[in-house]
Amino acid sequence: EYQWKGPFYFIQGADPQFGLMKAWTHGDTENGDDEWEEEIKLAEQAVQAVNKLKPKPKFFVLCGDLVHGMPGSRWKKKQEQDLKDVLKNTDQDIPLVFTSGNHDIGNSPTKEAIDDFCKNWGDDYFSFWVGGVFFLVLNSQLYYDSSKCPELRQAQDAWLDEQLAAAANQKCKHIIVFQHIPLFLSKPDEDDDYFNLEKSVRQEIMEKFDKAGIRAVFSGHYHRNAGGSYKGMEMVVSSAIGCQLGQDTHGLRVVVVTEEKVVHKYYSLTELGSRGIEKELLDLLAKQN
């Protein structure tokens, strides 16, 4: 789909993270993830809300931390199976796109952990086109700590440069990136934190993205809504489908792509499920170019 065909929209979710809610309330985030009934219900609610939307979204992307169990942990496989069982009910006409998070492949990922993710959920980085817009899915753990698999970080870097060069030749309308860890939470020069990428790495990526004309980066990881901008690029941090660490509601983000811009709004699962997308966003979709 290299050609622009008019406005469309997609749904972004993050951090269904089966197992975190109990672990968080019990103050045992290492081993307390042996129950995830609550998260199953929330993920089901998310799928039902997405299935009801008219017109249909072009795809539904989940920006990492699909489950809470780290690689090799006791409940991980069961958590993953339960999430797959919920996601199987997504409307067949709405493709699912998965991004790897730190709980999916580890804070310091190994080749084995990444291979396991790829077997289960698909490639850890890849690109795709929808209606003249170029999308990149990145493995942000390789930027966070690639000490156990430096060659994989180099491979992703080389691949990304090739992809951005190809996109420049294709004259795409916009380039949009999905990754789990935000580049930054509110300001491009903020201090290093568990929830963002380290300054030196961040600066290098932001420069590369800016040069390539990337319009927006969507991420999760923070379990709260946040964001800011760097030059012309917006950094969008979406709160979780699952456990909330701030005051936001369990929710999903609706992202409308028009010829000129990328417009988005975060909805609670209840709101999206009962009322759907508001008129303002639907009007943008109706404007055929």
Side-chain angles (χ1 to χ4, degrees):
E1 293 200 355
Y2 293 136
Q3 303 307 313
W4 176 254
K5 299 194 183 76
F8 64 87
Y9 81 104
F10 62 86
I11 300 293
Q12 183 223 2
D15 304 272
Q17 206 157 340
F18 282 21
L20 176 59
M21 288 171 92
K22 180 182 177 214
W24 186 256
T25 49
H26 284 238
D28 180 3
T29 52
E30 297 294 310
N31 313 300
D33 61 337
D34 58 347
E35 283 174 25
W36 49 91
E37 277 307 308
E38 201 58 41
E39 283 98 337
I40 288 177
K41 287 194 193 109
L42 290 161
E44 285 172 345
Q45 200 184 344
V47 167
Q48 284 158 8
V50 169
N51 285 347
K52 273 162 76 175
L53 295 172
K54 302 244 178 336
K56 285 182 180 150
K58 285 286 187 183
F59 60 88
F60 177 17
V61 58
L62 284 171
C63 283
D65 280 3
L66 305 174
V67 301
H68 185 65
M70 286 279 189
S73 68
R74 186 173 171 194
W75 304 108
K76 188 177 185 68
K77 287 278 169 261
K78 181 76 180 99
Q79 289 168 352
E80 289 184 327
Q81 191 51 56
D82 283 355
L83 177 59
K84 285 180 182 177
D85 289 343
V86 172
L87 293 173
K88 274 178 195 152
N89 297 316
T90 309
D91 185 315
Q92 295 297 296
D93 295 329
I94 303 171
L96 288 164
V97 177
F98 299 106
T99 305
S100 59
N102 56 307
H103 283 264
D104 304 310
I105 58 175
N107 286 318
S108 311
T110 60
K111 182 178 184 312
E112 294 69 35
I114 292 174
D115 285 348
D116 190 57
F117 175 87
C118 295
K119 271 209 289 286
N120 261 304
W121 302 102
D123 292 343
D124 59 322
Y125 57 88
F126 57 98
S127 64
F128 60 98
W129 287 82
V130 173
V133 177
F134 189 51
F135 292 92
L136 290 159
V137 172
L138 298 179
N139 179 345
S140 54
Q141 289 316 119
L142 295 175
Y143 295 130
Y144 189 79
D145 179 3
S146 60
S147 56
K148 292 179 180 161
C149 54
E151 70 293 349
L152 297 184
R153 160 83 193 262
Q154 286 160 356
Q156 175 170 265
D157 285 346
W159 171 86
L160 180 59
D161 290 342
E162 278 166 24
Q163 295 289 312
L164 293 174
N169 293 336
Q170 284 286 0
K171 303 274 182 285
C172 53
K173 280 288 171 208
H174 307 293
I175 307 176
I176 293 173
V177 172
F178 300 118
Q179 58 187 55
H180 178 61
I181 301 181
L183 297 166
F184 56 88
L185 297 172
S186 55
K187 294 190 199 69
D189 59 352
E190 70 197 16
D191 292 340
D192 295 349
D193 186 307
Y194 171 74
F195 288 111
N196 62 20
L197 290 178
E198 161 182 85
K199 265 186 177 167
S200 56
V201 178
R202 184 195 315 166
Q203 195 53 45
E204 190 187 320
I205 299 171
M206 290 189 311
E207 275 305 307
K208 182 181 283 192
F209 284 5
D210 175 58
K211 248 204 219 82
I214 285 170
R215 178 56 67 101
V217 178
F218 289 89
S219 70
H221 189 49
Y222 192 44
H223 295 255
R224 284 153 281 204
N225 286 309
S229 57
Y230 175 75
K231 298 183 181 174
M233 178 187 80
E234 192 180 3
M235 178 69 242
V236 185
V237 185
S238 293
S239 198
I241 292 170
C243 189
Q244 299 300 315
L245 301 185
Q247 302 308 307
D248 293 299
T249 51
H250 306 282
L252 293 168
R253 193 172 291 277
V254 172
V255 187
V256 176
V257 183
T258 74
E259 197 159 13
E260 293 78 38
K261 56 193 177 181
V262 177
V263 186
H264 53 86
K265 180 174 188 244
Y266 186 83
Y267 288 86
S268 76
L269 296 178
T270 313
E271 195 185 0
L272 193 62
S274 60
R275 293 215 290 278
I277 303 170
E278 67 200 62
K279 186 174 180 317
E280 205 178 325
L281 293 181
L282 289 172
D283 286 349
L284 286 174
L285 289 172
K287 289 187 182 137
Q288 284 306 324
N289 300 328

